[in-house]
Amino acid sequence: MRVSATTIPLLIKSLLDKPQTALELVASTGLGADGVHKFIAGMKDAELIHVVRWDYKSTQPVAVYAFGYGSNTNERWNNTQIRLFDLFGDTPISYDNIQLSEKLNLGRSTIKKAMNELVKHGFFVQNPGKATAPISWRRDLDVALPNRGPIAPDAGYKPAPAPRPPQQSWFSAII
């Protein structure tokens, strides 16, 4: 279906219900992807929608749009970094690579890459230590955690696919 004057209210209503990505808008409205992307571009130019957060689909950041005035967020945090923000919070606790790996059930190299990126942004500080000791980090409490935008209660939720009808064999059809 094409985006037209009659379908624009569907898009606006869908964005008013909850912030969505372009693909979620396509799925919720039944409109074509090209038309939805043109709608988003036009609404962004008019400053009627804004990016509230960035979700990650595999390794690519995907913008989540909300209807209304507001400033776009440029911070693109992956799921590992968000989990690290949530774990540390605003506490001065230090965790080493092994503890983080056990708490978050992630590989140490994944945690190390995510933490090194967050150290570059100034949110965390790497603790000094010996070369033989595990790497550890703590929050830099002088730097505020980023505003990651409103978290939808069903973020990441995907409805289960519809059950498939039972298969009939040619033999059961003649009985």
Side-chain angles (χ1 to χ4, degrees):
M1 186 187 272
R2 297 183 63 180
V3 174
S4 65
T6 58
T7 58
I8 288 176
L10 284 173
L11 290 163
I12 293 173
K13 181 183 180 311
S14 188
L15 281 173
L16 285 172
D17 289 343
K18 68 175 187 171
Q20 296 185 36
T21 65
L23 289 177
E24 290 170 343
L25 277 173
V26 168
S28 67
T29 61
L31 300 172
D34 190 44
V36 168
H37 284 288
K38 287 179 183 176
F39 166 79
I40 288 172
M43 295 294 273
K44 278 176 42 180
D45 289 344
E47 297 180 358
L48 293 174
I49 63 173
H50 60 284
V51 178
V52 290
R53 71 175 182 276
W54 292 86
D55 286 348
Y56 275 76
K57 303 297 182 205
S58 71
T59 60
Q60 297 297 320
V62 178
V64 178
Y65 299 99
F67 189 78
Y69 298 108
S71 59
N72 291 328
T73 181
N74 293 325
E75 290 136 352
R76 300 177 185 193
W77 310 114
N78 63 29
N79 289 336
T80 304
Q81 292 167 334
I82 290 170
R83 289 174 66 189
L84 287 165
F85 284 139
D86 293 341
L87 176 67
F88 278 91
D90 283 330
T91 60
I93 298 173
S94 287
Y95 290 110
D96 66 26
N97 210 2
I98 298 167
Q99 291 169 324
L100 290 173
S101 177
E102 291 170 356
K103 284 185 179 290
L104 299 176
N105 197 22
L106 295 169
R108 288 187 231 167
S109 63
T110 303
I111 290 172
K112 186 176 177 182
K113 283 196 297 192
M115 288 303 291
N116 286 340
E117 188 66 29
L118 295 173
V119 167
K120 283 184 204 172
H121 287 286
F123 296 114
F124 293 90
V125 177
Q126 185 172 338
N127 294 327
K130 298 179 182 175
T132 57
I135 302 169
S136 66
W137 298 272
R138 69 181 188 285
R139 274 270 296 120
D140 185 355
L141 298 178
D142 295 333
V143 179
L145 285 174
N147 180 5
R148 298 189 309 267
I151 303 298
D154 58 352
Y157 169 75
K158 289 185 180 178
R164 296 180 76 187
Q167 296 292 322
Q168 259 190 342
S169 67
W170 65 272
F171 184 74
S172 63
I174 60 172
I175 296 180

